[in-house]
Amino acid sequence: MSINRPIWTKCFINIFVSNLFVFIVFYALLTLLPIYVTDALGGSESQAGLIITIFLLSAIIVRPFSGKLIDRFGKKKMLVASAVFFAITSFLYPLVDHYIALLLLRFFHGVWFSIVTTAAGAIAADSIPRERRGEGLGYFAMSMNLAVVAGPFIALTLLQFVSYVTIFLILSAIMVVGVLCTLGIKAIENTSPVNRSKLTFEDLFEKKSFPIAVVGLFVAFSYASVISFISLYAKSLNLLDAAGFFFAVFAVAMLVSRPFTGRLFDTRGPNTVILPAFVLFAIGLLTLSLTNVAWMLLLAGALIGLGYGSIVPSFQTLAIQAAPETRSAHATATFFTFFDTGIATGSYVLGIMVTTMGYANLYMSLSIFVIGILFFYQWMQKQKSTRKQLQSQTDY
């Protein structure tokens, strides 16, 4: 049977490892640069935050154009080129000793991050047998999950022993290995003619992926509270030591569940995974709001890892499945444009909210909000089903 076609081909392994190294560098810099700004450059906390925001901003701006670029020049060429420029940009960090220059470098770095991750996601989706796409993209997402732990661990461990310049060079060397992995990838290129004369809406977005991308935006908005404030929340509870293990537990929960949830997605349907995942995500946020001891903080990390960690690859799969085969890059770009926007918006809006309502109340409110997203998702699924029924009756 076709379901036995392998996922872990040479191409898939190469794209997995390459994506892993890109995200290791991404998360390592995400952890290191705020410290670098305040410590080495003498910047403020707000300036440290802007270093993160400017990177996401450039990724959001460029992401819609990445599908068009990939279609025009080819997935393999754009993957290799963007990985090379991502690596070159990484080598420039030791040369920057001024805050404004660092801001410009971060914006430039975000551009290549946007393109390389879009190309990688499209190539990964194409290399997976269609009937096993839920399982395969779940495995591919593990490259990002591992990097969530590995990146910060590498950065913070090295910081105790070597200089910032040395860390930047080590991260750059890691990215060079990622570039080498891209060279062994074979991509399925789009054979349809590309309109080179003008830029249209379809060149930037895949309309059929919009509904699930919108729901993904709301999920990312909620998750922004975790990546942005978990350390500060833990510090307010005198649980900062336990916070160091939060994302480790988070990642382990995702990695353990991924083989089962991916298979369930393909064999039993997406709702078999997505509906329980929403409930677990909400319970995880509720547990965070009630946390006062270390084990509760880690339990919340496990629940959020199981819930949120299953929702995102499932939604990415649905976004790609909604589009024609030749539009996988556009579908990937559309989904992550909305997703990145949710993270960036959530970090800002929830930062304002937390000053008035406190961390515990924020997480409790978000647990209710996530259940609301679940009902919104179900409503959209019913609307989609109704449209299909009407279409089939019209065709008949």
Side-chain angles (χ1 to χ4, degrees), residues 58-87:
S58 68
I60 291 167
I61 291 171
V62 174
R63 186 84 71 178
F65 297 92
S66 56
K68 172 74 170 178
L69 289 169
I70 290 165
D71 267 358
R72 183 166 183 173
F73 298 105
K75 294 170 187 171
K76 171 72 178 282
K77 287 181 180 177
M78 286 309 299
L79 176 73
V80 174
S82 56
V84 167
F85 279 108
F86 188 83

Side-chain angles (χ1 to χ4, degrees), residues 208-217 315 318-319 335 377 380-381:
K208 292 182 179 178
S209 301
F210 265 26
I212 200 66
V214 170
V215 186
L217 183 151
F315 276 16
L318 290 176
F335 177 76
Y377 164 75
M380 293 190 73
Q381 292 294 96

Side-chain angles (χ1 to χ4, degrees), residues 241-273:
D241 291 340
F245 296 97
F246 178 89
F247 283 107
V249 174
F250 175 95
V252 168
M254 284 193 288
L255 295 174
V256 169
S257 65
R258 192 52 51 77
F260 309 104
T261 54
R263 231 172 267 129
L264 278 174
F265 183 100
D266 292 324
T267 57
R268 300 287 183 88
N271 285 347
T272 308
V273 175

